[in-house]
Amino acid sequence: VNKLSGSQVKTDSYHYFANYISPTASIRERLEHAGIQGLAAFVMLLFWPCVAIWMVWKILSAVFVPTYIDNETSLFCETRFLVAQTTLADAENNGVIHDPTGLMPRQPFGYLFPAWLAFCAKAGLDCEVWSFTIPKDACYGPHFQIAQMDIHGYAIVENQKIMDEFLFEFH
């Protein structure tokens, strides 16, 4: 068994590299070496930005992709948070936003108006609409989160069961 010392291995690797850039190396050897180095540089320049973009995309999509409420087990509101029964018209009147700058759309709940319309469309004739408040530091939701601030909204209640909710204020 031929064992090389550390200095011999280092010298051999330098020798390998030096053979391809030495003036005595053939043109074919120089082109092969330049081609391999060029291909490696091209792959690295192409590969690493793609990996970086993919990682940023994964992080941002995890943060900003909305989650959709599919059933009542994923609702934030619980019957213990219901405050008072109301009507859709009263809730809409209470949701008018007065923006002195004029930047907010002049419709109930401002930018949340399309979500409000979807919420209203789900309310049937035999449904009750209740306002609710999830107080700060209360445990709520399907993942038992702790409320960092008061959460206000409206819930559709049918047969003493919450069917849907509309969250509009966090403070």
Side-chain angles (χ1 to χ4, degrees):
V1 176
N2 186 7
K3 293 186 178 181
L4 299 173
S5 69
S7 63
Q8 287 176 325
V9 171
K10 192 182 259 188
T11 305
D12 287 345
S13 63
Y14 288 138
H15 179 70
Y16 171 78
F17 179 73
N19 274 344
Y20 288 107
I21 61 169
S22 72
T24 60
S26 70
I27 293 176
R28 179 175 180 253
E29 290 173 334
R30 289 182 185 181
L31 287 175
E32 283 179 357
H33 182 70
I36 290 170
Q37 295 298 319
L39 181 63
F42 176 74
V43 168
M44 292 304 290
L45 288 173
L46 182 69
F47 180 71
W48 284 110
C50 293
V51 169
I53 290 169
W54 177 77
M55 288 174 58
V56 168
W57 176 265
K58 284 295 197 183
I59 291 169
L60 291 178
S61 66
V63 171
F64 292 110
V65 171
T67 56
Y68 296 98
I69 297 172
D70 293 332
N71 56 36
E72 69 274 357
T73 60
S74 63
L75 296 175
F76 294 133
C77 182
E78 299 170 15
T79 53
R80 64 188 171 122
F81 299 131
L82 297 177
V83 175
Q85 189 172 355
T86 186
T87 64
L88 290 175
D90 287 340
E92 199 165 291
N93 287 336
N94 291 336
V96 174
I97 298 172
H98 302 285
D99 181 15
T101 63
L103 298 175
M104 185 71 65
R106 291 186 177 180
Q107 49 198 3
F109 303 106
Y111 291 108
L112 295 175
F113 188 65
W116 172 251
L117 291 178
F119 175 79
C120 291
K122 293 178 185 176
L125 296 175
D126 56 343
C127 296
E128 300 172 352
V129 177
W130 285 72
S131 63
F132 68 86
T133 300
I134 301 172
K136 181 180 178 186
D137 297 327
C139 184
Y140 74 99
H143 304 292
F144 305 107
Q145 300 158 305
I146 302 295
Q148 300 297 318
M149 58 195 78
D150 290 344
I151 302 170
H152 300 280
Y154 294 101
I156 296 173
V157 179
E158 189 175 297
N159 297 327
Q160 297 178 344
K161 185 176 179 184
I162 297 174
M163 304 307 290
D164 200 9
E165 66 187 0
F166 173 73
L167 304 172
F168 69 91
E169 189 173 357
F170 298 81
H171 68 82

